[in-house]
PDB file of all heavy atoms in Angstrom:
ATOM      1  N   ASP A   1       0.850  -1.206   0.003  1.00 98.00           N
ATOM      2  CA  ASP A   1       0.032  -0.057  -0.022  1.00 98.00           C
ATOM      3  C   ASP A   1       0.880   1.194  -0.022  1.00 98.00           C
ATOM      4  O   ASP A   1       1.631   1.523   1.006  1.00 98.00           O
ATOM      5  CB  ASP A   1      -0.867   0.014   1.265  1.00 98.00           C
ATOM      6  CG  ASP A   1      -1.793   1.166   1.347  1.00 98.00           C
ATOM      7  OD1 ASP A   1      -1.633   2.182   0.596  1.00 98.00           O
ATOM      8  OD2 ASP A   1      -2.638   1.179   2.145  1.00 98.00           O
ATOM      9  N   PRO A   2       0.926   2.018  -1.079  1.00 98.00           N
ATOM     10  CA  PRO A   2       1.813   3.165  -1.135  1.00 98.00           C
ATOM     11  C   PRO A   2       1.547   4.276  -0.147  1.00 98.00           C
ATOM     12  O   PRO A   2       2.461   4.921   0.346  1.00 98.00           O
ATOM     13  CB  PRO A   2       1.705   3.667  -2.580  1.00 98.00           C
ATOM     14  CG  PRO A   2       0.409   3.141  -3.117  1.00 98.00           C
ATOM     15  CD  PRO A   2       0.189   1.862  -2.375  1.00 98.00           C
ATOM     16  N   VAL A   3       0.289   4.443   0.231  1.00 98.00           N
ATOM     17  CA  VAL A   3      -0.056   5.441   1.251  1.00 98.00           C
ATOM     18  C   VAL A   3       0.465   4.955   2.656  1.00 98.00           C
ATOM     19  O   VAL A   3       1.027   5.808   3.415  1.00 98.00           O
ATOM     20  CB  VAL A   3      -1.490   5.818   1.315  1.00 98.00           C
ATOM     21  CG1 VAL A   3      -1.842   6.779   2.355  1.00 98.00           C
ATOM     22  CG2 VAL A   3      -1.946   6.250  -0.041  1.00 98.00           C
ATOM     23  N   ALA A   4       0.373   3.741   2.929  1.00 98.00           N
ATOM     24  CA  ALA A   4       0.927   3.179   4.172  1.00 98.00           C
ATOM     25  C   ALA A   4       2.368   3.251   4.182  1.00 98.00           C
ATOM     26  O   ALA A   4       2.992   3.593   5.296  1.00 98.00           O
ATOM     27  CB  ALA A   4       0.425   1.723   4.324  1.00 98.00           C
ATOM     28  N   ALA A   5       2.985   3.113   2.983  1.00 98.00           N
ATOM     29  CA  ALA A   5       4.475   3.185   2.904  1.00 98.00           C
ATOM     30  C   ALA A   5       4.869   4.626   3.210  1.00 98.00           C
ATOM     31  O   ALA A   5       5.884   4.955   3.901  1.00 98.00           O
ATOM     32  CB  ALA A   5       4.991   2.732   1.570  1.00 98.00           C
ATOM     33  N   LEU A   6       4.220   5.640   2.683  1.00 98.00           N
ATOM     34  CA  LEU A   6       4.535   7.011   2.886  1.00 98.00           C
ATOM     35  C   LEU A   6       4.279   7.397   4.375  1.00 98.00           C
ATOM     36  O   LEU A   6       5.128   8.067   5.033  1.00 98.00           O
ATOM     37  CB  LEU A   6       3.631   7.888   1.998  1.00 98.00           C
ATOM     38  CG  LEU A   6       3.735   9.444   2.263  1.00 98.00           C
ATOM     39  CD1 LEU A   6       5.121   9.948   1.877  1.00 98.00           C
ATOM     40  CD2 LEU A   6       2.631  10.136   1.461  1.00 98.00           C
ATOM     41  N   VAL A   7       3.145   6.990   4.983  1.00 98.00           N
ATOM     42  CA  VAL A   7       2.857   7.484   6.331  1.00 98.00           C
ATOM     43  C   VAL A   7       3.507   6.724   7.441  1.00 98.00           C
ATOM     44  O   VAL A   7       4.033   7.290   8.393  1.00 98.00           O
ATOM     45  CB  VAL A   7       1.367   7.420   6.544  1.00 98.00           C
ATOM     46  CG1 VAL A   7       0.921   7.702   8.032  1.00 98.00           C
ATOM     47  CG2 VAL A   7       0.578   8.326   5.531  1.00 98.00           C
ATOM     48  N   LEU A   8       3.619   5.391   7.304  1.00 98.00           N
ATOM     49  CA  LEU A   8       4.115   4.489   8.371  1.00 98.00           C
ATOM     50  C   LEU A   8       5.625   4.202   8.191  1.00 98.00           C
ATOM     51  O   LEU A   8       6.356   3.881   9.102  1.00 98.00           O
ATOM     52  CB  LEU A   8       3.331   3.218   8.447  1.00 98.00           C
ATOM     53  CG  LEU A   8       1.903   3.293   8.787  1.00 98.00           C
ATOM     54  CD1 LEU A   8       1.255   1.929   8.683  1.00 98.00           C
ATOM     55  CD2 LEU A   8       1.715   3.920  10.123  1.00 98.00           C
ATOM     56  N   GLY A   9       6.119   4.334   6.961  1.00 97.00           N
ATOM     57  CA  GLY A   9       7.519   3.898   6.674  1.00 97.00           C
ATOM     58  C   GLY A   9       8.518   5.052   6.792  1.00 97.00           C
ATOM     59  O   GLY A   9       8.112   6.067   7.286  1.00 97.00           O
ATOM     60  N   PRO A  10       9.747   4.752   6.600  1.00 97.00           N
ATOM     61  CA  PRO A  10      10.782   5.882   6.696  1.00 97.00           C
ATOM     62  C   PRO A  10      10.387   7.003   5.691  1.00 97.00           C
ATOM     63  O   PRO A  10       9.719   6.836   4.784  1.00 97.00           O
ATOM     64  CB  PRO A  10      12.093   5.196   6.343  1.00 97.00           C
ATOM     65  CG  PRO A  10      11.841   3.699   6.565  1.00 97.00           C
ATOM     66  CD  PRO A  10      10.343   3.585   6.180  1.00 97.00           C
ATOM     67  N   THR A  11      10.869   8.258   6.055  1.00 96.00           N
ATOM     68  CA  THR A  11      10.679   9.334   5.160  1.00 96.00           C
ATOM     69  C   THR A  11      11.276   9.045   3.742  1.00 96.00           C
ATOM     70  O   THR A  11      12.408   8.874   3.718  1.00 96.00           O
ATOM     71  CB  THR A  11      11.319  10.667   5.780  1.00 96.00           C
ATOM     72  OG1 THR A  11      10.726  10.954   6.956  1.00 96.00           O
ATOM     73  CG2 THR A  11      11.140  11.836   4.776  1.00 96.00           C
ATOM     74  N   PRO A  12      10.543   9.110   2.741  1.00 97.00           N
ATOM     75  CA  PRO A  12      11.040   8.856   1.412  1.00 97.00           C
ATOM     76  C   PRO A  12      11.601  10.006   0.742  1.00 97.00           C
ATOM     77  O   PRO A  12      11.483  11.099   1.104  1.00 97.00           O
ATOM     78  CB  PRO A  12       9.811   8.379   0.553  1.00 97.00           C
ATOM     79  CG  PRO A  12       8.614   8.948   1.302  1.00 97.00           C
ATOM     80  CD  PRO A  12       9.010   9.151   2.778  1.00 97.00           C
ATOM     81  N   GLU A  13      12.485   9.720  -0.285  1.00 97.00           N
ATOM     82  CA  GLU A  13      13.041  10.805  -1.059  1.00 97.00           C
ATOM     83  C   GLU A  13      12.045  11.370  -1.983  1.00 97.00           C
ATOM     84  O   GLU A  13      11.144  10.678  -2.573  1.00 97.00           O
ATOM     85  CB  GLU A  13      14.254  10.321  -1.788  1.00 97.00           C
ATOM     86  CG  GLU A  13      14.987  11.365  -2.644  1.00 97.00           C
ATOM     87  CD  GLU A  13      16.115  10.831  -3.426  1.00 97.00           C
ATOM     88  OE1 GLU A  13      17.211  10.623  -2.760  1.00 97.00           O
ATOM     89  OE2 GLU A  13      16.054  10.553  -4.692  1.00 97.00           O
ATOM     90  N   LEU A  14      12.063  12.621  -2.325  1.00 98.00           N
ATOM     91  CA  LEU A  14      11.243  13.176  -3.312  1.00 98.00           C
ATOM     92  C   LEU A  14      11.938  13.088  -4.695  1.00 98.00           C
ATOM     93  O   LEU A  14      13.086  13.536  -4.902  1.00 98.00           O
ATOM     94  CB  LEU A  14      10.971  14.643  -3.014  1.00 98.00           C
ATOM     95  CG  LEU A  14      10.015  14.953  -1.901  1.00 98.00           C
ATOM     96  CD1 LEU A  14      10.130  16.369  -1.534  1.00 98.00           C
ATOM     97  CD2 LEU A  14       8.510  14.678  -2.426  1.00 98.00           C
ATOM     98  N   LYS A  15      11.200  12.447  -5.634  1.00 98.00           N
ATOM     99  CA  LYS A  15      11.710  12.520  -7.009  1.00 98.00           C
ATOM    100  C   LYS A  15      11.476  13.922  -7.522  1.00 98.00           C
ATOM    101  O   LYS A  15      12.276  14.553  -8.185  1.00 98.00           O
ATOM    102  CB  LYS A  15      10.875  11.463  -7.842  1.00 98.00           C
ATOM    103  CG  LYS A  15      11.396  11.486  -9.227  1.00 98.00           C
ATOM    104  CD  LYS A  15      10.523  10.447 -10.121  1.00 98.00           C
ATOM    105  CE  LYS A  15      10.998  10.462 -11.624  1.00 98.00           C
ATOM    106  NZ  LYS A  15      12.371   9.893 -11.800  1.00 98.00           N
ATOM    107  N   LEU A  16      10.269  14.541  -7.164  1.00 98.00           N
ATOM    108  CA  LEU A  16      10.059  15.891  -7.578  1.00 98.00           C
ATOM    109  C   LEU A  16       9.057  16.538  -6.528  1.00 98.00           C
ATOM    110  O   LEU A  16       8.170  15.835  -5.999  1.00 98.00           O
ATOM    111  CB  LEU A  16       9.219  15.985  -9.012  1.00 98.00           C
ATOM    112  CG  LEU A  16      10.010  15.597 -10.223  1.00 98.00           C
ATOM    113  CD1 LEU A  16       8.949  15.500 -11.382  1.00 98.00           C
ATOM    114  CD2 LEU A  16      11.017  16.776 -10.541  1.00 98.00           C
ATOM    115  N   LEU A  17       9.304  17.838  -6.369  1.00 99.00           N
ATOM    116  CA  LEU A  17       8.337  18.654  -5.609  1.00 99.00           C
ATOM    117  C   LEU A  17       7.946  19.863  -6.558  1.00 99.00           C
ATOM    118  O   LEU A  17       8.943  20.540  -7.006  1.00 99.00           O
ATOM    119  CB  LEU A  17       8.889  19.163  -4.322  1.00 99.00           C
ATOM    120  CG  LEU A  17       7.811  19.933  -3.520  1.00 99.00           C
ATOM    121  CD1 LEU A  17       6.865  18.980  -2.845  1.00 99.00           C
ATOM    122  CD2 LEU A  17       8.407  20.854  -2.400  1.00 99.00           C
ATOM    123  N   LEU A  18       6.785  19.986  -6.879  1.00 98.00           N
ATOM    124  CA  LEU A  18       6.400  21.075  -7.887  1.00 98.00           C
ATOM    125  C   LEU A  18       5.319  21.974  -7.242  1.00 98.00           C
ATOM    126  O   LEU A  18       4.522  21.654  -6.489  1.00 98.00           O
ATOM    127  CB  LEU A  18       5.620  20.353  -9.044  1.00 98.00           C
ATOM    128  CG  LEU A  18       6.474  19.320  -9.726  1.00 98.00           C
ATOM    129  CD1 LEU A  18       5.508  18.385 -10.558  1.00 98.00           C
ATOM    130  CD2 LEU A  18       7.447  19.912 -10.691  1.00 98.00           C
ATOM    131  N   VAL A  19       5.668  23.354  -7.454  1.00 98.00           N
ATOM    132  CA  VAL A  19       4.754  24.380  -7.009  1.00 98.00           C
ATOM    133  C   VAL A  19       4.238  25.101  -8.180  1.00 98.00           C
ATOM    134  O   VAL A  19       5.127  25.828  -8.866  1.00 98.00           O
ATOM    135  CB  VAL A  19       5.475  25.408  -5.984  1.00 98.00           C
ATOM    136  CG1 VAL A  19       4.670  26.411  -5.599  1.00 98.00           C
ATOM    137  CG2 VAL A  19       6.002  24.577  -4.777  1.00 98.00           C
ATOM    138  N   GLY A  20       3.110  24.878  -8.484  1.00 98.00           N
ATOM    139  CA  GLY A  20       2.522  25.535  -9.708  1.00 98.00           C
ATOM    140  C   GLY A  20       3.205  24.998 -10.926  1.00 98.00           C
ATOM    141  O   GLY A  20       3.412  25.758 -11.995  1.00 98.00           O
ATOM    142  N   GLY A  21       3.612  23.709 -10.905  1.00 98.00           N
ATOM    143  CA  GLY A  21       4.295  23.100 -11.972  1.00 98.00           C
ATOM    144  C   GLY A  21       5.788  23.451 -12.023  1.00 98.00           C
ATOM    145  O   GLY A  21       6.565  22.814 -12.829  1.00 98.00           O
ATOM    146  N   ARG A  22       6.252  24.284 -11.125  1.00 98.00           N
ATOM    147  CA  ARG A  22       7.651  24.667 -11.130  1.00 98.00           C
ATOM    148  C   ARG A  22       8.364  23.788 -10.192  1.00 98.00           C
ATOM    149  O   ARG A  22       8.007  23.506  -9.098  1.00 98.00           O
ATOM    150  CB  ARG A  22       7.855  26.183 -10.622  1.00 98.00           C
ATOM    151  CG  ARG A  22       9.286  26.635 -10.598  1.00 98.00           C
ATOM    152  CD  ARG A  22       9.261  28.115 -10.215  1.00 98.00           C
ATOM    153  NE  ARG A  22      10.679  28.557 -10.086  1.00 98.00           N
ATOM    154  CZ  ARG A  22      11.144  29.015  -8.892  1.00 98.00           C
ATOM    155  NH1 ARG A  22      10.484  28.974  -7.806  1.00 98.00           N
ATOM    156  NH2 ARG A  22      12.362  29.455  -8.820  1.00 98.00           N
ATOM    157  N   THR A  23       9.670  23.253 -10.671  1.00 98.00           N
ATOM    158  CA  THR A  23      10.439  22.332  -9.866  1.00 98.00           C
ATOM    159  C   THR A  23      11.098  23.006  -8.715  1.00 98.00           C
ATOM    160  O   THR A  23      11.854  24.057  -8.953  1.00 98.00           O
ATOM    161  CB  THR A  23      11.482  21.608 -10.731  1.00 98.00           C
ATOM    162  OG1 THR A  23      10.731  20.875 -11.751  1.00 98.00           O
ATOM    163  CG2 THR A  23      12.269  20.688  -9.904  1.00 98.00           C
ATOM    164  N   VAL A  24      10.874  22.605  -7.551  1.00 98.00           N
ATOM    165  CA  VAL A  24      11.430  23.174  -6.332  1.00 98.00           C
ATOM    166  C   VAL A  24      12.486  22.186  -5.793  1.00 98.00           C
ATOM    167  O   VAL A  24      13.576  22.451  -5.217  1.00 98.00           O
ATOM    168  CB  VAL A  24      10.376  23.509  -5.224  1.00 98.00           C
ATOM    169  CG1 VAL A  24      11.181  24.039  -3.924  1.00 98.00           C
ATOM    170  CG2 VAL A  24       9.540  24.648  -5.733  1.00 98.00           C
ATOM    171  N   VAL A  25      12.082  20.832  -5.809  1.00 98.00           N
ATOM    172  CA  VAL A  25      13.012  19.757  -5.372  1.00 98.00           C
ATOM    173  C   VAL A  25      13.074  18.680  -6.516  1.00 98.00           C
ATOM    174  O   VAL A  25      11.974  18.402  -7.079  1.00 98.00           O
ATOM    175  CB  VAL A  25      12.533  19.082  -4.066  1.00 98.00           C
ATOM    176  CG1 VAL A  25      13.387  17.850  -3.636  1.00 98.00           C
ATOM    177  CG2 VAL A  25      12.448  20.099  -2.995  1.00 98.00           C
ATOM    178  N   ALA A  26      14.245  18.164  -6.792  1.00 98.00           N
ATOM    179  CA  ALA A  26      14.348  17.097  -7.798  1.00 98.00           C
ATOM    180  C   ALA A  26      15.435  16.131  -7.226  1.00 98.00           C
ATOM    181  O   ALA A  26      16.449  16.525  -6.833  1.00 98.00           O
ATOM    182  CB  ALA A  26      14.784  17.530  -9.100  1.00 98.00           C
ATOM    183  N   ASP A  27      14.929  14.844  -7.274  1.00 98.00           N
ATOM    184  CA  ASP A  27      15.930  13.747  -6.771  1.00 98.00           C
ATOM    185  C   ASP A  27      16.423  14.060  -5.425  1.00 98.00           C
ATOM    186  O   ASP A  27      17.641  13.916  -5.063  1.00 98.00           O
ATOM    187  CB  ASP A  27      17.042  13.563  -7.767  1.00 98.00           C
ATOM    188  CG  ASP A  27      16.502  13.101  -9.208  1.00 98.00           C
ATOM    189  OD1 ASP A  27      15.610  12.309  -9.116  1.00 98.00           O
ATOM    190  OD2 ASP A  27      17.109  13.515 -10.124  1.00 98.00           O
ATOM    191  N   GLY A  28      15.550  14.576  -4.606  1.00 97.00           N
ATOM    192  CA  GLY A  28      15.945  14.797  -3.165  1.00 97.00           C
ATOM    193  C   GLY A  28      16.715  16.051  -2.882  1.00 97.00           C
ATOM    194  O   GLY A  28      16.949  16.413  -1.759  1.00 97.00           O
ATOM    195  N   GLU A  29      17.005  16.900  -3.916  1.00 98.00           N
ATOM    196  CA  GLU A  29      17.762  18.104  -3.680  1.00 98.00           C
ATOM    197  C   GLU A  29      16.941  19.250  -4.057  1.00 98.00           C
ATOM    198  O   GLU A  29      16.301  19.444  -5.064  1.00 98.00           O
ATOM    199  CB  GLU A  29      19.037  18.063  -4.686  1.00 98.00           C
ATOM    200  CG  GLU A  29      19.997  16.960  -4.382  1.00 98.00           C
ATOM    201  CD  GLU A  29      21.208  16.996  -5.187  1.00 98.00           C
ATOM    202  OE1 GLU A  29      21.286  17.900  -6.077  1.00 98.00           O
ATOM    203  OE2 GLU A  29      22.154  16.206  -5.123  1.00 98.00           O
ATOM    204  N   LEU A  30      17.083  20.342  -3.183  1.00 98.00           N
ATOM    205  CA  LEU A  30      16.527  21.636  -3.429  1.00 98.00           C
ATOM    206  C   LEU A  30      17.170  22.233  -4.630  1.00 98.00           C
ATOM    207  O   LEU A  30      18.368  22.391  -4.812  1.00 98.00           O
ATOM    208  CB  LEU A  30      16.712  22.528  -2.184  1.00 98.00           C
ATOM    209  CG  LEU A  30      15.997  23.811  -2.187  1.00 98.00           C
ATOM    210  CD1 LEU A  30      14.532  23.628  -1.997  1.00 98.00           C
ATOM    211  CD2 LEU A  30      16.633  24.719  -1.030  1.00 98.00           C
ATOM    212  N   ARG A  31      16.287  22.727  -5.588  1.00 98.00           N
ATOM    213  CA  ARG A  31      16.820  23.298  -6.837  1.00 98.00           C
ATOM    214  C   ARG A  31      16.685  24.854  -6.816  1.00 98.00           C
ATOM    215  O   ARG A  31      17.096  25.454  -7.837  1.00 98.00           O
ATOM    216  CB  ARG A  31      16.110  22.702  -7.985  1.00 98.00           C
ATOM    217  CG  ARG A  31      16.304  21.201  -8.138  1.00 98.00           C
ATOM    218  CD  ARG A  31      17.915  20.880  -8.239  1.00 98.00           C
ATOM    219  NE  ARG A  31      18.171  19.548  -8.212  1.00 98.00           N
ATOM    220  CZ  ARG A  31      18.226  18.691  -9.231  1.00 98.00           C
ATOM    221  NH1 ARG A  31      17.992  19.280 -10.554  1.00 98.00           N
ATOM    222  NH2 ARG A  31      18.577  17.403  -9.175  1.00 98.00           N
TER     223      ARG A  31
END
């Protein structure tokens, strides 16, 4: 269950974090 993995498991790395479609984090690194 991916939601259980996110909530109960270790903190995962972000492949992407997007704000209004703009990349703020990629591959775990702030851009």
Side-chain angles (χ1 to χ4, degrees):
D1 179 349
V3 178
L6 175 66
V7 175
L8 298 177
T11 299
E13 180 181 283
L14 283 164
K15 180 181 179 70
L16 286 171
L17 185 78
L18 303 161
V19 178
R22 177 174 178 248
T23 299
V24 175
V25 177
D27 297 324
E29 294 184 0
L30 187 70
R31 295 302 172 92

